[in-house]
């Protein structure tokens, strides 16, 4: 087994022995459950009238009670919620070494630092992919339980592809968070950075320049801004990829060269 594989196994063991996987799963599960609730509201006008403003909110967020709308909401939730949850996972995987004061012991091991960093990214990626898959399956179950009307098979194929690309774009923005967690020596700096980027993404998108701001691209791709961003150019995706690569290289260099002593 390679050094990266051995280090990844250790990282997986750390995650398995913690409550973080269950916490992130429960947090992400709110998305399909909330979406299903809005679908129920939209399907039952009488219930909507009894709930007052809830009906108006559901109409604004959801639109109509059908599979395309529901799966579209899931794509948007993956872009917005995934940005926070994936960043939270990266913050925990990289920042816990400083919070638990184990970074000195970790760096004293004969395992190359590059392998340690890559193993952490492997675990973050696998964790995020597993979460996205489970939430998508849960969404299908919730939609069926709500009784959404039948939709063509192509609807589900397109929605699956959109969700997968949205999750991939969101995941590509995780390396900068890992860099901030490493250079910031803990949990709070990376989460503050992620929240700041999310807020800036909303502001920049509202000004019409969202396609040139990497953190706005996943949500725009998922359709949160409507048809105006339906066909973003390659520049938008290239910026996301370059941002991810910059974060990866920065994290590798930090662990390799920066003074890790506290």
């Amino acid at each position: 087994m390679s050094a990266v594989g051995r280090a990844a196994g250790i990282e997986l063991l750390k995650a398995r022995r913690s409550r973080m996987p269950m916490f992130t799963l429960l947090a992400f599960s709110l998305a399909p459950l909330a979406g299903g609730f809005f679908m129920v509201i939209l399907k039952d006008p009488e219930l909507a009238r009894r709930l007052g403003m809830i009906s108006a909110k559901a109409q604004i967020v959801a639109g109509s009670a059908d599979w395309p709308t529901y799966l579209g909401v899931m794509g948007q939730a993956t872009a917005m919620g995934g940005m926070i949850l994936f960043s939270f996972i990266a913050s925990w995987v990289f920042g816990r070494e400083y919070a638990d004061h184990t970074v000195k012991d970790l760096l004293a091991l004969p395992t190359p630092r590059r392998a340690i960093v890559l193993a952490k990214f492997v675990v973050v990626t696998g964790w995020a992919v597993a979460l996205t898959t489970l939430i998508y399956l849960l969404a299908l179950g919730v939609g069926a339980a709500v009784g959404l009307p039948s939709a063509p098979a192509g609807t589900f194929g397109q929605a699956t592809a959109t969700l997968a690309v949205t999750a991939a774009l969101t995941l590509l923005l995780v390396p900068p968070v890992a860099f901030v967690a490493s250079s910031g020596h803990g949990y709070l700096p990376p989460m503050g950075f992620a929240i700041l980027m999310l807020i800036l993404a909303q502001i920049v998108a509202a000004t019409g320049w969202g396609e040139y701001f990497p953190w706005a691209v996943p949500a725009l791709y998922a359709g949160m801004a409507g048809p105006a961003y339906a066909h973003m150019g390659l520049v938008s995706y290239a910026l996301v990829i370059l941002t991810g690569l910059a974060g990866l290289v920065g994290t590798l260099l930090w662990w390799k060269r920066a003074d890790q002593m506290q």
Side-chain angles (χ1 to χ4, degrees):
M1 183 182 295
S2 66
V4 175
R6 290 192 298 270
I10 295 173
E11 293 297 329
L12 284 173
L13 183 61
K14 293 178 184 178
R16 192 181 67 184
R17 291 182 174 178
S18 74
R19 298 179 181 177
M20 288 301 299
M22 183 58 64
F23 174 79
T24 54
L25 177 61
L26 291 175
F28 216 177
S29 296
L30 293 177
L33 295 177
F37 172 73
F38 282 123
M39 294 299 106
V40 170
I41 296 297
L42 292 174
K43 285 184 63 179
D44 191 337
E46 180 59 31
L47 177 61
R49 283 194 293 270
R50 291 201 301 269
L51 293 177
M53 290 302 294
I54 293 286
S55 62
K57 293 179 181 179
Q59 188 67 39
I60 293 173
V61 175
S64 58
D66 54 30
W67 278 108
T69 300
Y70 179 53
L71 294 176
V73 170
M74 287 307 305
Q76 297 167 17
T78 300
M80 303 297 290
M83 185 74 69
I84 295 298
L85 275 179
F86 296 170
S87 297
F88 189 82
I89 293 169
S91 299
W92 184 82
V93 170
F94 283 87
R96 65 166 296 175
E97 306 296 352
Y98 297 96
D100 295 344
H101 303 288
T102 58
V103 64
K104 297 177 183 178
D105 300 327
L106 187 64
L107 295 176
L109 296 174
T111 305
R113 296 183 180 185
R114 179 182 67 256
I116 294 173
V117 173
L118 292 178
K120 288 180 178 293
F121 276 119
V122 167
V123 170
V124 171
T125 300
W127 194 334
V129 170
L131 273 181
T132 304
T133 302
L134 290 173
I135 293 309
Y136 182 62
L137 294 176
L138 177 60
L140 295 179
V142 170
V146 169
L148 296 179
S150 300
T155 298
F156 296 95
Q158 181 179 1
T160 302
T162 299
L163 188 72
V165 174
T166 300
L169 291 171
T170 305
L171 190 55
L172 282 170
L173 297 172
V174 166
V177 177
F179 171 75
V180 176
S182 301
S183 59
H185 294 189
Y187 303 123
L188 293 181
M191 287 310 301
F193 172 79
I195 294 173
L196 175 62
M197 292 300 103
L198 192 60
I199 294 173
L200 289 177
Q202 300 297 309
I203 296 173
V204 175
T207 64
W209 294 92
E211 59 185 314
Y212 301 112
F213 188 68
W215 281 268
V217 171
L220 297 179
Y221 178 83
M224 293 196 69
Y229 287 99
H231 302 288
M232 289 186 294
L234 292 178
V235 173
S236 300
Y237 305 110
L239 288 173
V240 173
I241 294 172
L242 290 175
T243 300
L245 288 175
L248 174 61
V249 172
T251 306
L252 286 168
L253 291 177
W254 173 265
W255 279 69
K256 182 179 179 180
R257 300 178 179 177
D259 181 10
Q260 302 293 333
M261 300 303 292
Q262 300 185 51

